[in-house]
């Protein structure tokens, strides 16, 4: 998972699509764009159930199920590692990319709101040209989340990685 995030970040920072920036539900991490590729993502944690407030470090020996678009699952937009996953592990649900978002908003009562700051995927971000980390003292745990409200809108391919 860290390799996928590093590759996508590399693509987003170096002239690839801005859509490549890795946002995720159930993952959170810190980004330091001053570092070399492979060392930019740190503090990587996963919350498998999201409904519970339990964040744990990624276990390199464990398998995780990842849900993404079929476009990214094929290794596009800088997500090269996804393209290396054995086809036997890939399940295409053939769900129209916007349908899960429509379904989610349909069942919600009231107004959609931003998730808590500690659930944002990017917990802090240091730009490549920064001298030091920019921290927003008003945010959760003194970290500056760099994210917009983002709901996973596509469930086209799921696989274990």
């Amino acid at each position: 998972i860290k390799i996928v995030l590093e590759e996508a970040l590399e693509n987003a920072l170096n002239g690839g699509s801005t859509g490549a920036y890795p946002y995720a539900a159930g993952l959170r991490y810190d980004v330091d764009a001053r570092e070399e590729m492979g060392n930019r993502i740190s503090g990587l944690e996963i919350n498998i159930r999201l409904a519970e407030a339990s964040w744990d470090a990624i276990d390199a020996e464990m398998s995780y199920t990842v849900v993404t678009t079929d476009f990214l699952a094929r290794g596009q937009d800088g997500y090269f590692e996804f393209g290396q996953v054995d086809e036997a592990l890939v399940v295409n649900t053939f769900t129209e990319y916007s349908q899960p978002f429509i379904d989610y908003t349909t069942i919600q009562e009231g107004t959609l709101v931003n998730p808590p700051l500690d659930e944002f995927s990017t917990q802090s971000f240091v730009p490549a040209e920064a001298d030091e980390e920019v921290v927003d003292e008003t945010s959760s745990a003194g970290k500056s989340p760099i994210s917009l409200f983002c709901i996973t809108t596509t469930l086209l391919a799921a696989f274990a990685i």
Side-chain angles (χ1 to χ4, degrees), residues 61-122:
E61 301 302 314
M62 190 167 174
S63 291
Y64 297 96
T65 299
V66 175
V67 179
T68 189
T69 65
D70 61 344
F71 179 75
L72 297 181
R74 291 190 316 265
Q76 302 298 310
D77 230 357
Y79 288 75
F80 306 119
E81 189 71 18
F82 278 169
Q84 304 302 312
V85 173
D86 185 338
E87 283 294 317
L89 298 174
V90 176
V91 176
N92 192 332
T93 65
F94 299 99
T95 302
E96 172 62 32
Y97 76 94
S98 60
Q99 193 60 52
F101 178 73
I102 293 167
D103 293 346
Y104 177 81
T105 58
T106 301
I107 63 170
Q108 296 303 304
E109 294 182 18
T111 305
L112 294 177
V113 297
N114 286 337
L117 294 175
D118 66 345
E119 289 183 14
F120 282 27
S121 51
T122 303

Side-chain angles (χ1 to χ4, degrees), residues 110-141:
T111 305
L112 294 177
V113 297
N114 286 337
L117 294 175
D118 66 345
E119 289 183 14
F120 282 27
S121 51
T122 303
Q123 291 287 297
S124 66
F125 184 89
V126 180
E129 60 281 341
D131 291 331
E132 58 187 65
E133 180 176 1
V134 177
V135 176
D136 176 357
E137 298 298 331
T138 64
S139 66
S140 175

